[in-house]
Amino acid sequence: MNKALKEHNFMMVVDLTENVLVNTPIPSANHAALRSGFAGYPANPRWNAAKYSAWKTGRQLREALASGQMVVRSTDSMLVQANEQDDNSNSGNASTSKQAKQSKPSQLLHKAKRMLAAYQLA
């Protein structure tokens, strides 16, 4: 079954920090290197090419966030392209309760994705 999973690029939700999540096809074995790059730590010279690539991706995500190319979506803490951010801020007439109703389904979706990712790793 592991061979079948390796052949497909499944997107997984990864915690980059406590408050930042990202969808990525990077295998779970390399998530620590991805987090390390995002946190700004130096690369480990003992890492193989896949871990170094994940670390470099983490650095690129951090740079994109710092430059404003990417943003952390407020509804689910997902790191997304700035142009993919929800347009809730454009609708100034929306009430707080309406926004709360919209965020609850996205929170449930986020939890479902995390559960699915954990199931696929098992």
Side-chain angles (χ1 to χ4, degrees), residues 76-120:
D76 58 0
S77 300
M78 191 68 65
L79 185 63
V80 295
Q81 295 291 331
N83 58 2
E84 292 179 21
Q85 184 179 14
D86 290 340
D87 292 328
N88 288 343
S89 59
N90 292 343
S91 58
N93 296 336
S95 67
T96 307
S97 62
K98 183 177 179 182
Q99 289 175 351
K101 287 180 184 176
Q102 290 174 347
S103 65
K104 186 160 183 146
S106 64
Q107 289 172 351
L108 293 174
L109 178 62
H110 170 68
K111 286 181 182 179
K113 285 181 181 179
R114 289 182 68 183
M115 289 173 58
L116 178 61
Y119 176 75
Q120 289 174 345

Side-chain angles (χ1 to χ4, degrees), residues 27-37 47 51 55:
S28 60
N30 301 328
H31 288 177
L34 177 70
R35 288 185 197 100
S36 178
W47 282 340
K51 287 191 186 295
W55 173 84

Side-chain angles (χ1 to χ4, degrees), residues 41-57:
Y41 293 115
N44 186 331
R46 294 172 290 190
W47 282 340
N48 60 21
K51 287 191 186 295
Y52 181 78
S53 177
W55 173 84
K56 189 149 182 120
T57 300

Side-chain angles (χ1 to χ4, degrees), residues 18-39:
E18 286 183 23
N19 301 322
V20 180
L21 306 166
V22 69
N23 274 322
T24 182
I26 294 174
S28 60
N30 301 328
H31 288 177
L34 177 70
R35 288 185 197 100
S36 178
F38 187 77

